[in-house]
Amino acid sequence: MTVEVPTYLDGNAAAGVLREIFAVDITAAIGRCAGCGQTGVFAETRVYLDAPGLVARCQGCDEVLLRVVTTPADTYLDLRGLTYLRVPNPA
Amino acid sequence: MGIVSPGFTGRRGAGSDLPPGQYLTHEFPVLSAGPTPHVRHEHWELTVANETGEVTRWDWKALTALPSEKITKDLHCVTRWSKLGTEWKGVSLDVLLADVETGADFVMVHSYGGYTTNLPLEDLLDGQAWIAYEYDGEPLHPEHGGPARLLVPHLYLWKSAKWVRGLVLSDSEDLGFWETAGYHEYGDPWKEQRYAGD
Amino acid sequence: MERTAIRRRLTWQAGTVTEVRAETASARTVVLDVPDWPGHLAGQHLDVRLTAPDGYQASRSYSIASAWSGSGTGPGIGTTVELTVEQVPGGEVSPYLVDVIRPGDPLEVRGPVGGWFVWKPEQEGPIQLIGGGSGVVPLMAMLRAHAAAASTTPARLLYSVRRPEAVIYVSDLKELAASDDIEVTFAYTREAPPGEQRAPARIDAGLLASVTFQPEDAPTTYVCGPTPFVETVADLLVAAGHDPARIRTERFG
């Protein structure tokens, strides 16, 4: 039996695609998982890229926090699993 | 389209009889949008719920006791790879749905791990779809959807839900995991129905 | 209210390759000139997008290896953007960047991105850098930024690498390690150079206890490498008593 290698990266891998949507960096923001209530820095979430779209999941409960699909015409952003994103204001 | 990168072709083989925009691969790429569920045979079950809420169940023993078929089909993934002549063993949905009373037009497929995808019921019937549990003569590996996955090879592969757990029949069409995020509700590779509106 | 520059959506732009340097048998540093590059923080990355003549595209994210020039100068410090790319067998983008791309070629990039896995010279406390394989790249940017700012912040790098020939930035690291404020330790996992006392092995609790900053030093620790490496090291650090909030990780596939 082969040892399974984790296929996820982390929230840092979503930085580029999210900066196409948001005017600020989201990876340093704090997010709250709508599934289990855990809060944490978005950079520490688990990001799956080998899929038809980008999926970020909660480190605590694996629930989907965010999805991004880029089609030729539009970008779809689904934030269903985030109760909030806390973004620091510029100093 | 971006600026062409001199000398870049991508990791792709040529393919003449492929659906538009697809390239040929001899590998079996693993796509994953989440952790791979590991479902033990003794805990596995498949359910079909009709539009009145009536549920039919099969455990692993019951599934594998049903008449099975060997299936050889081409696979087309929306991420543009196609793999030809893949060999599977599984139970036809015609067998599983034979005694399910329904007038429903649509199905939502649910997987262990939470994935969903939607299809018209007629695309699961008449020898077009299977619950597959062997690939290439071996028990289906969890990374490819084992213990069992749905196999609907005439549609893009995201419709062939890995780790299938249940089918819910319905009179109205609802959208699944990728279909709610911009992917086409039907997904015919020969019509290149990748995204909503294609 | 004071107005700052307008923050806007980032998108792809074309840079030009000005130099390709061999670092090891399988790693290259690609130097890019990107018009209007706003500068970057050490640890940030950028996305690279390749386009085939038929429109097929592939993109990947790479850490930036260089430090944006403040007042300092030195290897890897300047106003260009350097990426160091290790060839992934069977990969799609890395073989192109390692074997195909030449000076003068265009390269589409999107960046700089990422605001978490970064080090700023004004940040307080020592920094502990732990890299596995090409995970050393963003850590190198931090050491270069440290040199560019003439920082006196104590910094340590623990670099896990298969064998001596696989070490990226060998001479630059030697130069940096000459500074009183920087310590560099190599952890060879498959084959050690002659004279190395530690037998080849992965990073373990004993090594972390002997060569890295301890919890009471209150370091900020940056761990970068393949996902299994990062998970293992982060777990060892937490088990050793490090505050998880001071451990920053970056995983690559």
Side-chain angles (χ1 to χ4, degrees):
Chain A
M1 187 157 161
T2 54
V3 177
E4 207 166 295
V5 178
T7 57
Y8 57 84
L9 301 177
D10 56 37
N12 297 299
V17 71
L18 293 175
R19 268 296 269 116
E20 285 222 20
I21 304 168
F22 294 102
V24 294
D25 173 56
I26 296 297
T27 61
I30 306 282
R32 184 179 193 273
C33 172
C36 69
Q38 180 171 315
T39 57
V41 178
F42 186 80
E44 304 281 350
T45 61
R46 295 180 171 182
V47 166
Y48 293 83
L49 289 178
D50 292 330
L54 180 154
V55 180
R57 292 179 180 264
C58 175
Q59 253 201 326
C61 71
D62 276 330
E63 268 305 304
V64 175
L65 299 174
L66 167 155
R67 296 188 297 164
V68 185
V69 170
T70 307
T71 78
D74 303 290
T75 296
Y76 288 71
L77 172 67
D78 170 3
L79 294 162
R80 63 161 113 178
L82 285 164
T83 313
Y84 62 69
L85 272 173
R86 206 173 93 208
V87 184
N89 295 330
Chain B
M1 176 168 156
I3 296 170
V4 171
S5 318
F8 177 70
T9 57
R11 182 182 48 202
R12 300 176 294 161
S16 47
D17 297 329
L18 298 178
Q22 295 296 108
Y23 68 89
L24 182 65
T25 180
H26 298 286
E27 326 243 297
F28 195 166
V30 175
L31 270 63
S32 72
T36 299
H38 290 268
V39 191
R40 299 167 68 100
H41 288 155
E42 59 266 34
H43 298 143
W44 185 91
E45 70 167 8
L46 177 71
T47 59
V48 173
N50 72 4
E51 65 274 29
T52 67
E54 201 179 318
V55 178
T56 313
R57 294 169 193 278
W58 294 266
D59 62 12
W60 188 254
K61 252 187 171 164
L63 178 84
T64 49
L66 292 171
S68 64
E69 290 173 43
K70 288 199 168 169
I71 313 122
T72 301
K73 290 287 179 187
D74 302 340
L75 307 180
H76 307 294
C77 178
V78 74
T79 62
R80 299 189 180 271
W81 58 265
S82 290
K83 184 174 173 62
L84 305 182
T86 59
E87 294 179 13
W88 304 80
K89 182 177 162 184
V91 178
S92 167
L93 262 297
D94 294 316
V95 173
L96 288 160
L97 296 176
D99 297 324
V100 173
E101 218 158 293
T102 183
D105 290 326
F106 301 99
V107 182
M108 184 68 80
V109 184
H110 294 260
S111 295
Y112 291 96
Y115 181 76
T116 55
T117 187
N118 58 283
L119 303 107
L121 179 58
E122 62 179 11
D123 283 84
L124 293 184
L125 301 173
D126 302 322
Q128 297 184 92
W130 297 266
I131 301 293
Y133 51 79
E134 275 185 22
Y135 170 71
D136 230 1
E138 303 279 343
L140 184 56
H141 194 277
E143 70 180 12
H144 290 302
R149 76 182 294 169
L150 180 66
L151 186 65
V152 199
H154 69 287
L155 300 178
Y156 279 125
L157 200 56
W158 89 78
K159 298 288 183 182
S160 293
K162 298 195 232 187
W163 316 297
V164 65
R165 179 173 64 92
L167 311 182
V168 177
L169 310 181
S170 163
D171 294 327
S172 58
E173 184 171 38
D174 214 349
L175 297 178
F177 188 79
W178 290 121
E179 295 86 352
T180 51
Y183 280 90
H184 197 273
E185 73 271 18
Y186 184 65
D188 182 342
W190 296 97
K191 293 182 181 157
E192 207 169 359
Q193 293 170 335
R194 296 179 196 276
Y195 306 110
D198 280 353
Chain C
M1 214 175 97
E2 203 180 341
R3 297 197 54 107
T4 52
I6 298 166
R7 291 187 282 179
R8 59 186 158 203
R9 288 171 60 154
L10 193 65
T11 193
W12 298 98
Q13 58 173 324
T16 305
V17 176
T18 59
E19 190 188 342
V20 180
R21 281 200 306 268
E23 298 285 357
T24 66
S26 58
R28 300 284 179 276
T29 290
V30 177
V31 184
L32 285 171
D33 181 34
V34 186
D36 305 323
W37 184 255
H40 55 267
L41 301 171
Q44 284 194 298
H45 44 105
L46 56 65
D47 296 344
V48 168
R49 180 168 76 177
L50 305 181
T51 303
D54 64 356
Y56 175 82
Q57 292 185 324
S59 62
R60 292 292 180 279
S61 194
Y62 291 100
S63 289
I64 300 169
S66 53
W68 189 250
S69 149
S71 50
T73 53
I77 301 166
T79 55
T80 51
V81 185
E82 302 191 10
L83 306 178
T84 303
V85 180
E86 176 94 44
Q87 181 154 1
V88 179
E92 185 161 44
V93 177
S94 65
Y96 178 82
L97 295 177
V98 168
D99 287 337
V100 181
I101 207 161
R102 295 284 172 266
D105 285 348
L107 187 65
E108 272 193 304
V109 298
R110 181 175 65 191
V113 293
W116 175 245
F117 195 82
V118 294
W119 178 72
K120 299 175 192 170
E122 63 269 27
Q123 188 176 307
E124 284 187 26
I127 51 171
Q128 177 67 56
L129 314 176
I130 305 179
S134 56
V136 74
V137 175
L139 310 180
M140 188 64 188
M142 293 179 191
L143 291 179
R144 286 169 166 167
H146 185 280
S151 171
T152 53
T153 297
R156 291 182 185 174
L157 168 67
L158 175 57
Y159 181 1
S160 169
V161 62
R162 286 183 179 178
R163 49 181 59 87
E165 309 84 81
V167 173
I168 307 174
Y169 314 125
V170 97
S171 62
D172 290 6
L173 283 172
K174 233 173 240 170
E175 201 168 309
L176 286 163
S179 153
D180 290 341
D181 305 307
I182 298 177
E183 272 178 43
V184 177
T185 308
F186 296 97
Y188 299 98
T189 59
R190 300 271 174 89
E191 188 189 311
E196 170 71 29
Q197 299 195 333
R198 182 176 176 271
R202 289 170 188 252
I203 290 178
D204 55 23
L207 184 66
L208 288 178
S210 62
V211 305
T212 65
F213 288 113
Q214 297 307 294
E216 55 274 21
D217 302 323
T220 303
T221 303
Y222 297 84
V223 187
C224 183
T227 299
F229 173 87
V230 171
E231 309 278 287
T232 306
V233 172
D235 287 351
L236 288 170
L237 289 167
V238 172
H242 286 271
D243 177 1
R246 302 187 71 95
I247 303 170
R248 301 189 179 199
T249 54
E250 179 155 288
R251 298 160 177 85
F252 58 78

